Amino acid sequence: MTPHPAARYIAAMSYASFLAVATGLSLCACSAASFTTEVQGEATVPASPAGTPTLLNAFPSISSFAALDFNENQDFKNRDVTKDEVTRVQVKSMTLKVLSPNDQDFGFLDSLEAVARAGNSESRFASRDGIARLGLSPPNPTVGLNTDGSLDLRPYVAAPSMAIILRGTGRLPEREVRVQATVVLEVEGGLL
């Protein structure tokens, strides 16, 4: 018995619809995922010797930024993504906040830049000049750095170890100042 032409048409259309849905789902399943991750650390800017104005010629290092391995990053683990699967990394924001004393401002800091380093390669990804003139008031002021949105940090994130180095100019503050640096990265890679 031969199926009615309308039945064959419905069966063919159902099969075509099934293929369209299956293809769409497979394309979605294979597209790159995008997520944000944050790295954070603290440093202490030493006080100037009593009564002696002293130039700030080196910003203190942040120990948690010294040997970053993104395979150990919790956001990477939550997404089941390794640093080798990353296709692009962009800096979304970089901030520096005064933690203590809470009545301290950024009057001691003229400029700051953030550099990504892996091996012998480095790239500046954020900077800010004229920080002391911004008039950011206590308590616990925060300054945002200008980021280079076109820079892809993937080679640094995928390296065996990456460091973030802060370089600043200004004067040593009258008292010791503890600061917190926060870098927010948008990561593309892995599968949805």
Side-chain angles (χ1 to χ4, degrees):
M1 177 170 181
T2 310
H4 188 275
R8 277 187 278 159
Y9 176 77
I10 291 171
M13 291 307 296
S14 295
Y15 182 68
S17 297
F18 168 76
L19 284 178
V21 169
T23 301
L25 288 174
S26 67
L27 287 175
C28 288
C30 295
S31 65
S34 177
F35 62 96
T36 58
T37 189
E38 179 179 286
V39 290
Q40 196 171 71
E42 296 179 14
T44 300
V45 181
S48 64
T52 309
T54 306
L55 289 179
L56 172 70
N57 55 15
F59 201 83
S61 63
I62 298 176
S63 61
S64 61
F65 285 3
L68 295 166
D69 180 354
F70 282 88
N71 283 340
E72 300 303 316
N73 178 289
Q74 192 59 51
D75 294 315
F76 276 62
K77 289 178 178 181
N78 291 346
R79 296 286 183 145
D80 198 25
V81 173
T82 66
K83 61 186 178 184
D84 298 329
E85 296 171 322
V86 169
T87 56
R88 185 165 178 77
V89 179
Q90 284 186 288
V91 179
K92 297 303 287 178
S93 67
M94 163 99 198
T95 57
L96 188 71
K97 177 181 182 177
V98 172
L99 294 178
S100 67
N102 69 354
D103 61 346
Q104 175 67 47
D105 61 18
F106 281 110
F108 66 94
L109 191 60
D110 291 332
S111 68
L112 188 67
E113 71 175 12
V115 174
R117 179 185 286 166
N120 293 326
S121 298
E122 67 176 44
S123 294
R124 184 177 79 171
F125 65 84
S127 64
R128 185 76 183 247
D129 291 322
I131 296 171
R133 294 189 310 265
L134 293 175
L136 300 170
S137 302
N140 308 104
T142 300
V143 62
L145 277 63
N146 302 315
T147 60
D148 182 350
S150 65
L151 181 66
D152 184 2
L153 290 184
R154 184 205 171 282
Y156 298 96
V157 169
S161 179
M162 171 189 170
I164 295 175
I165 300 161
L166 300 182
R167 296 179 179 140
T169 62
R171 294 143 307 285
L172 290 176
E174 292 179 4
R175 51 197 171 157
E176 192 174 87
V177 177
R178 194 165 55 99
V179 295
Q180 179 183 67
T182 304
V183 181
V184 178
L185 302 172
E186 183 172 1
V187 180
E188 293 176 14
L191 302 175
L192 285 175

